[in-house]
Amino acid sequence: MKVLVTDPIAEAGIERLREAGHEVETAYDLEGDALLDAVSDANALVVRSGTEVTEAVFEAAPDLVIVGRAGIGVDNIDIDAATEHGVIVANAPEGNVRAAAEHTVAMTFAIARSIPQAHARLKAGEWAKGDYLGTEVNKKTLGIVGLGRVGQEVAKRLNALGMNLVAYDPYIGKERAEKLGAELAPLEEVLDRADFITVHTPLTPETEGLIGEEELARIEGGYVINCARGGVVDEAALARAVEDGVIAGAALDVFAEEPLPRDSPLLDVEDVVVTPHLGASTEAAQENVATSIADQVLAAFAEEPVMNALNAPSMDANAFPRVRPYIELAETAGRVAVQLFDDQISEVEVVYAGDIAEEEIDLVTASALKGVFRPLEWQVNAVNAPRIAEDRGIDVSETKRSQSEDFQSLVTVTVRNTDSEVSVCGTLFAGEDPRIVRIDGYRVDAIPGGRMVVTRNTDEPGVIGLIGSVMGEYGINIAGMYNARETIGGEALTVYNVDDPVPDEARERLEEDPRIIETRYITLSNDEDDIDPVRASITE
């Protein structure tokens, strides 16, 4: 597999990919057509903040499996476009958390004690001891806007230095905040109470300009520190607030436009400290994010959960071995169900019963959807299958049941509309041996794989012989047969595993016999030419 790296990352990450046997190409400062040409045959793209990964990039890269951001922020990646194209987007949020937190603390002290200003004047030959009267952080109130990973690490460090903590974060629980020594409060209250405000939110439509002129006025006489993402704080309003004495000072490591333009008003205000996005610039942090994103690329190549995927189901690494066999089972059940269904789908239901109901099943459900859409879509995977369902107006539901009547675990995929439905149940024998055990209530014991023929017929002598004879006439070898019936003389359902493709003429011959109610040819191969043309046409 080919990995394209378009922004510099630590060599440790590149070596990890090469040691795993993959080709790694580094090409920095690419843009426009040069980037599109370079990514055209890539299976993975690794970036930092310098590469804009737009919809055009995904259009140009049909084999792309994953885009890895060696860092936290992903505002340079079009995640919606990635999802549409079935490409995983992952970041490395853990690798530089400590470095970003430490830089935030350093910037807090730098602005509170005017360290850069005093340093510059002393270097220029001035002994300006009397010009700077610093602020101690002890017993001051720190307002934390965004109590995520970095915000929590900052909270731990500055709480230990004697600061009182008040935080705004609508996505964190009161209990977790209290464990960190922080009191949760609305944003306005945090701004009113804090002597120092530190920002730790991603840049989203909701957070862009979150701290503007009105918010800065509430921090009267205080300090603002932003080492998170540029654009969360209105930079022009911040420069004015510091220059006019509304707030005492500010320290920023991130900016709405990077590199920071020479005409930025921030550069003209002495009590604004700026650094060129150094939050993650430590040797340890760079190595951590590089190896973390390399590991996620390798996981994506191996079709394993990507731990920090932003647009795909994920799960704890310890849980994955227990769930892994059900991922393929659910996909298979979905593929069988949709090829037995003869109408437009309006709903997909996945029911988990028994032990599997105790596990994280988002990835399993996504795989079931992948199976349902596989015969209908040119490119579908667990990333874009939920989006395909949404775009098609197909309702998706999950149900968990602690008990399974006959099996330790059972996964049932049902496709339906208002007029009809088909259900396929699968389980695992001996740990990882998949079986289809029910089709629409008929108990079978079918090995899913390759090519299958499913017939519904009246339960009477000679029918199975007829089917075998017709298969033989067309040179189709039967590898296995699994028969079930409602009642003696009622309707029966039989699943045949076959070694060869089944032509339309063979099915037509079978259905000429009045005892044959229906014949379905199912393929579980990945050969595009082997998909049932009837099923492949149901895309309206």
Short mmCIF file of all heavy atoms in Angstrom, two decimals, residues 34-59:
data_model
loop_
_atom_site.label_atom_id
_atom_site.label_comp_id
_atom_site.label_asym_id
_atom_site.label_seq_id
_atom_site.Cartn_x
_atom_site.Cartn_y
_atom_site.Cartn_z
N ALA A 34 -0.65 19.69 -8.42
CA ALA A 34 0.47 18.87 -7.95
C ALA A 34 0.03 17.92 -6.83
O ALA A 34 0.42 16.75 -6.79
CB ALA A 34 1.62 19.75 -7.48
N LEU A 35 -0.80 18.44 -5.94
CA LEU A 35 -1.33 17.60 -4.86
C LEU A 35 -2.26 16.53 -5.42
O LEU A 35 -2.18 15.36 -5.02
CB LEU A 35 -2.07 18.46 -3.83
CG LEU A 35 -2.80 17.72 -2.71
CD1 LEU A 35 -1.83 16.87 -1.90
CD2 LEU A 35 -3.54 18.70 -1.81
N LEU A 36 -3.11 16.90 -6.35
CA LEU A 36 -4.04 15.94 -6.93
C LEU A 36 -3.31 14.84 -7.67
O LEU A 36 -3.69 13.66 -7.61
CB LEU A 36 -5.03 16.66 -7.88
CG LEU A 36 -5.88 17.77 -7.25
CD1 LEU A 36 -6.88 18.31 -8.26
CD2 LEU A 36 -6.59 17.28 -6.00
N ASP A 37 -2.24 15.18 -8.37
CA ASP A 37 -1.45 14.17 -9.08
C ASP A 37 -0.76 13.23 -8.09
O ASP A 37 -0.75 12.01 -8.28
CB ASP A 37 -0.39 14.84 -9.96
CG ASP A 37 -1.01 15.53 -11.17
OD1 ASP A 37 -2.17 15.22 -11.51
OD2 ASP A 37 -0.33 16.40 -11.75
N ALA A 38 -0.22 13.81 -7.02
CA ALA A 38 0.53 13.00 -6.06
C ALA A 38 -0.36 12.01 -5.32
O ALA A 38 0.05 10.90 -4.98
CB ALA A 38 1.25 13.90 -5.07
N VAL A 39 -1.61 12.41 -5.06
CA VAL A 39 -2.50 11.58 -4.24
C VAL A 39 -3.29 10.57 -5.08
O VAL A 39 -3.99 9.72 -4.53
CB VAL A 39 -3.46 12.47 -3.43
CG1 VAL A 39 -4.63 12.96 -4.28
CG2 VAL A 39 -3.96 11.77 -2.18
N SER A 40 -3.18 10.64 -6.39
CA SER A 40 -4.04 9.85 -7.28
C SER A 40 -3.93 8.35 -7.06
O SER A 40 -4.90 7.62 -7.26
CB SER A 40 -3.75 10.20 -8.74
OG SER A 40 -2.40 9.85 -9.06
N ASP A 41 -2.75 7.87 -6.66
CA ASP A 41 -2.59 6.42 -6.45
C ASP A 41 -2.29 6.08 -4.99
O ASP A 41 -1.82 4.98 -4.69
CB ASP A 41 -1.48 5.88 -7.35
CG ASP A 41 -0.11 6.51 -7.06
OD1 ASP A 41 -0.07 7.55 -6.37
OD2 ASP A 41 0.90 5.96 -7.53
N ALA A 42 -2.58 7.03 -4.09
CA ALA A 42 -2.28 6.80 -2.67
C ALA A 42 -3.41 6.04 -2.00
O ALA A 42 -4.58 6.22 -2.31
CB ALA A 42 -2.05 8.13 -1.95
N ASN A 43 -3.02 5.20 -1.04
CA ASN A 43 -4.00 4.50 -0.20
C ASN A 43 -4.19 5.19 1.14
O ASN A 43 -5.20 4.98 1.82
CB ASN A 43 -3.55 3.06 0.03
CG ASN A 43 -3.31 2.32 -1.26
OD1 ASN A 43 -2.17 2.05 -1.63
ND2 ASN A 43 -4.37 2.00 -1.98
N ALA A 44 -3.22 6.00 1.53
CA ALA A 44 -3.31 6.78 2.77
C ALA A 44 -2.64 8.12 2.55
O ALA A 44 -1.66 8.22 1.81
CB ALA A 44 -2.67 6.05 3.94
N LEU A 45 -3.19 9.15 3.18
CA LEU A 45 -2.63 10.49 3.12
C LEU A 45 -2.41 10.96 4.55
O LEU A 45 -3.35 10.95 5.36
CB LEU A 45 -3.58 11.44 2.39
CG LEU A 45 -3.23 12.93 2.36
CD1 LEU A 45 -1.92 13.14 1.61
CD2 LEU A 45 -4.36 13.74 1.72
N VAL A 46 -1.18 11.35 4.87
CA VAL A 46 -0.85 11.84 6.20
C VAL A 46 -0.50 13.32 6.09
O VAL A 46 0.36 13.70 5.29
CB VAL A 46 0.32 11.05 6.82
CG1 VAL A 46 0.72 11.65 8.17
CG2 VAL A 46 -0.07 9.59 7.00
N VAL A 47 -1.18 14.15 6.90
CA VAL A 47 -1.00 15.59 6.82
C VAL A 47 -0.87 16.17 8.23
O VAL A 47 -1.14 15.50 9.22
CB VAL A 47 -2.18 16.27 6.10
CG1 VAL A 47 -2.37 15.69 4.71
CG2 VAL A 47 -3.48 16.12 6.92
N ARG A 48 -0.45 17.41 8.27
CA ARG A 48 -0.60 18.22 9.48
C ARG A 48 -1.53 19.37 9.10
O ARG A 48 -2.52 19.15 8.42
CB ARG A 48 0.77 18.67 9.99
CG ARG A 48 1.63 17.49 10.45
CD ARG A 48 2.87 17.94 11.16
NE ARG A 48 2.54 18.58 12.43
CZ ARG A 48 3.39 19.32 13.13
NH1 ARG A 48 4.62 19.53 12.68
NH2 ARG A 48 3.03 19.86 14.28
N SER A 49 -1.23 20.58 9.50
CA SER A 49 -2.15 21.68 9.21
C SER A 49 -1.87 22.35 7.88
O SER A 49 -2.65 23.18 7.41
CB SER A 49 -2.09 22.72 10.34
OG SER A 49 -0.77 23.22 10.48
N GLY A 50 -0.77 22.00 7.22
CA GLY A 50 -0.37 22.71 6.02
C GLY A 50 -1.09 22.30 4.75
O GLY A 50 -1.13 23.06 3.79
N THR A 51 -1.64 21.10 4.71
CA THR A 51 -2.28 20.58 3.50
C THR A 51 -3.79 20.72 3.59
O THR A 51 -4.40 20.25 4.56
CB THR A 51 -1.92 19.10 3.28
OG1 THR A 51 -0.50 18.97 3.18
CG2 THR A 51 -2.57 18.56 2.01
N GLU A 52 -4.38 21.35 2.58
CA GLU A 52 -5.84 21.46 2.52
C GLU A 52 -6.39 20.23 1.80
O GLU A 52 -6.15 20.03 0.60
CB GLU A 52 -6.25 22.72 1.77
CG GLU A 52 -5.96 24.01 2.52
CD GLU A 52 -6.79 24.15 3.79
OE1 GLU A 52 -7.98 23.76 3.78
OE2 GLU A 52 -6.25 24.66 4.79
N VAL A 53 -7.11 19.41 2.55
CA VAL A 53 -7.65 18.17 1.97
C VAL A 53 -9.11 18.42 1.62
O VAL A 53 -10.01 18.28 2.45
CB VAL A 53 -7.50 16.99 2.96
CG1 VAL A 53 -7.88 15.68 2.27
CG2 VAL A 53 -6.07 16.90 3.48
N THR A 54 -9.33 18.82 0.38
CA THR A 54 -10.64 19.24 -0.08
C THR A 54 -11.37 18.10 -0.80
O THR A 54 -10.82 17.01 -0.99
CB THR A 54 -10.50 20.42 -1.05
OG1 THR A 54 -9.76 19.95 -2.20
CG2 THR A 54 -9.72 21.57 -0.41
N GLU A 55 -12.59 18.39 -1.22
CA GLU A 55 -13.35 17.38 -1.97
C GLU A 55 -12.61 16.98 -3.24
O GLU A 55 -12.65 15.82 -3.66
CB GLU A 55 -14.74 17.93 -2.32
CG GLU A 55 -15.61 16.91 -3.02
CD GLU A 55 -17.04 17.36 -3.18
OE1 GLU A 55 -17.34 18.53 -2.85
OE2 GLU A 55 -17.86 16.55 -3.64
N ALA A 56 -11.90 17.93 -3.85
CA ALA A 56 -11.16 17.61 -5.07
C ALA A 56 -10.09 16.55 -4.81
O ALA A 56 -9.81 15.71 -5.68
CB ALA A 56 -10.51 18.88 -5.63
N VAL A 57 -9.50 16.58 -3.62
CA VAL A 57 -8.50 15.57 -3.27
C VAL A 57 -9.14 14.18 -3.23
O VAL A 57 -8.60 13.21 -3.76
CB VAL A 57 -7.85 15.90 -1.92
CG1 VAL A 57 -6.96 14.76 -1.45
CG2 VAL A 57 -7.04 17.19 -2.02
N PHE A 58 -10.31 14.09 -2.64
CA PHE A 58 -10.99 12.78 -2.56
C PHE A 58 -11.43 12.32 -3.94
O PHE A 58 -11.38 11.13 -4.25
CB PHE A 58 -12.17 12.86 -1.59
CG PHE A 58 -11.75 13.13 -0.18
CD1 PHE A 58 -11.97 14.36 0.41
CD2 PHE A 58 -11.10 12.14 0.56
CE1 PHE A 58 -11.56 14.61 1.71
CE2 PHE A 58 -10.68 12.40 1.86
CZ PHE A 58 -10.91 13.63 2.44
N GLU A 59 -11.86 13.25 -4.78
CA GLU A 59 -12.23 12.90 -6.15
C GLU A 59 -11.05 12.35 -6.92
O GLU A 59 -11.19 11.45 -7.75
CB GLU A 59 -12.79 14.13 -6.88
CG GLU A 59 -14.13 14.63 -6.35
CD GLU A 59 -15.29 13.76 -6.83
OE1 GLU A 59 -15.07 12.86 -7.66
OE2 GLU A 59 -16.42 14.00 -6.35
#
